[in-house]
Amino acid sequence: MSLEASARAALARGDLPAAAQAAQRLAMEQPERPAGFFLLGMAAAEAGQVAKALPMLEQAVARGGQAEHLAQYARLLILLRRDGEAGRAARDALAAGPDDALTLDTIGCVLARLGDHAASVVPFEGAVAAEPDNLSYRYNLAAACGFTGRVEAARDHYEAILRADPRDARVHYALAILSRQSAQANEVPRLEAALAKAQRPEDRLRIRYALAKSHEDMGNAADAFAHLAAANAAHKQAIGYDFAADAAIFDAIERLFADGAPKGWGAGLDEPAPIFVTGMPRTGTTLVDRILSSHRQVGSAGELQAMPLAVKQLSATRSRLVIDPDTIAASGGAEPLAMGQAYMARASHHRPDGKARFTDKLPANFLYIGHILHALPRAKIVCLRRHPMDTVWSNYKNLFASQSAYYAYSYDLMDIARYYARFDRLMALWDRLFPGRVLQLSYEALVADQEGETRRLLDHCGLEWDVACLSFHENKAAVATPSAAQVRRPLNADAVARWKRHEDALAPVRDWLAGQGIDID
């Protein structure tokens, strides 16, 4: 067996020391060829040593630019959040004409991580064509089809996975949110059977959310609430969430900006392009992003981590969390100009070609409004506001990234209410510090007067009227959020006052919010 074959076989069976030893010998004996360096890098990457793996893959790419090498190089770059380089490497890999399934799937995953779901479809299709029985590859293709509006293709792929593995909880949940369920056509019996057999907590979480979505669609409010209550109570216990963690972040932001700009802050970056669409999740941020990106001058860059990462980078704190009280406090020592430059350096890789302006619709950017308006003083900011009770209910009933600290508050009704109250208080602070700079846009007002509120939105963003913004549902761009199905339909009032279906169960939340002085009526 050749050294290359030995290294690949050792990698395949998980024997990383043997793989590294064979790859090292190969690199020494054939230094002009890329294979040894590539396999050394792969062994290091599999061991979790990304910083050690990257230069090895750089050496491999420099010696030939093979598709397999470029794809894995792109994968490591995306892990290091070097998005621009990752995108270039992934596209170079695709241009090299790969034919093996792993390389094609890896390219697709990198493009999906970059938010380019439309481009990810082709390599995912190639991976499935090469290995039709690989369920992971098929799942990735199904998700990409769903994000790009190819609903029936997505459904077909998901159903193919369930025929092979009826217990796949990710697929059960994906099918439930793909389209509206009805009494005549729903997945409830199959979901109940899958729940009875589910063993892992994460699987039970997803299947219960799928059941709740199905029952909610069919008008079975009590059943929907029961599944959510069971799923969320178990998950909150599993992650050990305490609202004090989020309260400490809000406290740190309020301390940093208590007297206006932190001491010593100077001018920011003179850059007019970004439009930040912020707000509590599930309050209409995707809808407003679609409206704005339907404008001829605006493209959507998606939900960027660019501002949180810029603040983290310049704060230079050592914690592994992107946001925490220490990072917020340390950011007061950063320069707004450097913050703006760091943001644009990251955001530019996601900026749609040919558009003068772009949207960044990370909802959690409401936490960074003080940083944004100092770092990018010409940026425009929109914050979605939805009825407090609908906001609480919508956060409770939607499954976010289950391990993300951003959404850890969302598994308990009172935690969500407490989070909403702090959000409301923070938005009041931004209004006092930056009067007129943040458009607080009511979801209900937008539904009631689409054209009037759209005109107000465009005016705030410095955009001329464009009638295409009223036909946002015809926008063909990908949507990778739980509201993907909704924003492909014309604006409607279906989601207004949805919380009243669960009025009795939500009574403690209503009373608590009212006691905080938050208007419920």
Side-chain angles (χ1 to χ4, degrees):
M1 185 182 290
S2 70
L3 285 172
E4 180 174 353
S6 295
R8 288 184 180 275
L11 275 174
R13 65 176 182 267
D15 187 349
L16 301 183
Q21 186 178 25
Q24 180 75 47
R25 284 183 57 197
L26 180 60
M28 292 176 67
E29 290 181 11
Q30 301 180 17
E32 75 288 352
R33 294 187 62 237
F37 297 96
F38 172 69
L39 292 167
L40 261 177
M42 292 302 294
E46 288 297 309
Q49 300 170 335
V50 176
K52 181 179 177 181
L54 194 69
M56 293 297 100
L57 288 180
E58 286 172 346
Q59 292 287 338
V61 167
R63 284 163 170 75
Q66 295 178 26
E68 180 188 25
H69 304 168
L70 284 161
Q72 294 299 333
Y73 180 49
R75 182 176 68 88
L76 295 189
L77 288 168
I78 207 78
L79 291 175
L80 296 170
R81 301 183 187 272
R82 290 165 59 176
D83 292 1
E85 296 166 88
R88 286 190 291 274
R91 290 179 175 89
D92 287 346
L94 191 58
D99 56 9
D100 69 289
L102 177 60
T103 296
L104 287 160
D105 183 72
T106 301
I107 294 167
C109 287
V110 171
L111 294 173
R113 280 283 299 272
L114 291 169
D116 196 348
H117 298 286
S120 76
V121 171
V122 168
F124 283 147
E125 286 178 335
V128 170
E131 291 188 23
D133 296 330
N134 187 306
L135 302 186
S136 294
Y137 298 164
R138 193 174 289 277
Y139 178 87
N140 291 339
L141 175 57
C145 288
F147 294 152
T148 53
R150 299 166 57 190
V151 173
E152 291 309 314
R155 192 187 315 281
D156 289 345
H157 288 301
Y158 286 136
E159 291 290 353
I161 295 171
L162 288 181
R163 285 194 294 273
D165 182 7
R167 299 187 185 190
D168 193 318
R170 288 193 310 169
V171 173
H172 283 300
Y173 178 68
L175 274 170
I177 65 171
L178 192 61
S179 58
R180 188 182 293 268
Q181 312 288 296
S182 69
Q184 295 74 33
N186 64 79
E187 304 297 328
V188 169
R190 184 164 69 175
L191 288 168
E192 289 175 341
L195 181 62
K197 296 176 181 177
Q199 296 180 342
R200 299 190 310 162
E202 192 78 8
D203 290 344
R204 290 195 293 272
L205 175 75
R206 288 193 171 98
I207 295 170
R208 282 199 180 276
Y209 263 90
L211 277 162
K213 163 65 164 58
S214 300
H215 282 298
E216 181 84 355
D217 285 351
M218 294 187 291
N220 302 331
D223 290 331
F225 193 91
H227 281 296
L228 286 172
N232 286 336
H235 193 62
K236 179 183 176 179
Q237 184 176 13
I239 63 175
Y241 175 72
D242 185 337
F243 179 72
D246 277 318
I249 291 172
F250 282 104
D251 290 344
I253 296 168
E254 290 175 354
R255 281 195 300 271
L256 182 64
F257 293 97
D259 300 317
K263 188 177 180 180
W265 273 20
L269 181 66
D270 184 24
E271 172 59 69
I275 303 171
F276 292 86
V277 181
T278 71
M280 287 279 286
R282 308 299 297 138
T283 57
T285 53
T286 301
L287 168 63
V288 169
D289 184 67
R290 299 293 275 189
I291 291 170
L292 288 169
S293 61
S294 296
H295 192 283
R296 59 186 175 275
Q297 295 179 325
V298 182
S300 175
E303 295 190 8
L304 302 183
Q305 289 286 330
M307 185 52 69
L309 290 174
V311 172
K312 180 68 176 179
Q313 172 190 333
L314 292 166
S315 300
T317 51
R318 301 186 67 178
S319 69
R320 298 184 66 182
L321 297 171
V322 174
I323 185 170
D324 55 28
D326 289 345
T327 298
I328 294 297
S331 70
E335 282 293 328
L337 177 60
M339 218 177 289
Q341 290 169 334
Y343 171 83
M344 289 303 300
R346 292 181 182 276
S348 62
H349 303 306
H350 302 267
R351 188 171 176 173
D353 293 335
K355 300 289 185 177
R357 310 284 298 280
F358 68 90
T359 57
D360 176 345
K361 71 153 297 262
L362 181 71
N365 271 331
F366 74 82
L367 296 166
Y368 294 92
I369 285 174
H371 296 88
I372 291 168
L373 287 177
H374 285 289
L376 297 159
R378 294 179 66 191
K380 302 298 182 182
I381 302 181
V382 181
C383 181
L384 268 294
R385 302 304 299 260
R386 191 176 177 187
H387 189 285
M389 295 300 294
D390 271 331
T391 300
V392 171
W393 172 245
S394 192
N395 274 252
Y396 189 65
K397 77 185 183 73
N398 280 279
L399 181 58
F400 301 106
S402 60
Q403 301 304 316
S404 171
Y406 277 133
Y407 308 110
Y409 68 86
S410 69
Y411 303 100
D412 180 277
L413 286 167
M414 290 309 303
D415 285 338
I416 304 170
R418 294 182 188 98
Y419 196 95
Y420 179 88
R422 294 304 302 265
F423 157 76
D424 188 63
R425 190 168 110 183
L426 185 59
M427 291 312 303
L429 172 65
W430 299 142
D431 262 358
R432 288 196 302 274
L433 294 179
F434 307 103
R437 294 300 313 278
V438 181
L439 174 64
Q440 299 206 38
L441 186 66
S442 162
Y443 173 78
E444 290 81 7
L446 181 59
V447 169
D449 180 13
Q450 181 182 0
E451 182 171 337
E453 291 300 296
T454 300
R455 287 183 180 276
R456 193 162 78 94
L457 170 65
L458 297 183
D459 184 62
H460 175 78
C461 295
L463 296 165
E464 296 177 354
W465 174 247
D466 188 339
V467 70
C469 294
L470 297 180
S471 302
F472 65 87
H473 54 285
E474 297 175 3
N475 189 328
K476 301 301 184 186
V479 188
T481 74
S483 52
Q486 293 98 304
V487 297
R488 291 199 173 97
R489 301 196 306 268
L491 196 59
N492 59 74
D494 288 356
V496 174
R498 186 72 63 84
W499 72 275
K500 290 190 174 181
R501 297 181 181 182
H502 309 275
E503 194 162 5
D504 290 343
L506 294 174
V509 171
R510 179 192 60 213
D511 295 344
W512 187 86
L513 288 172
Q516 302 299 305
I518 293 171
D519 185 9
I520 302 300
D521 299 325

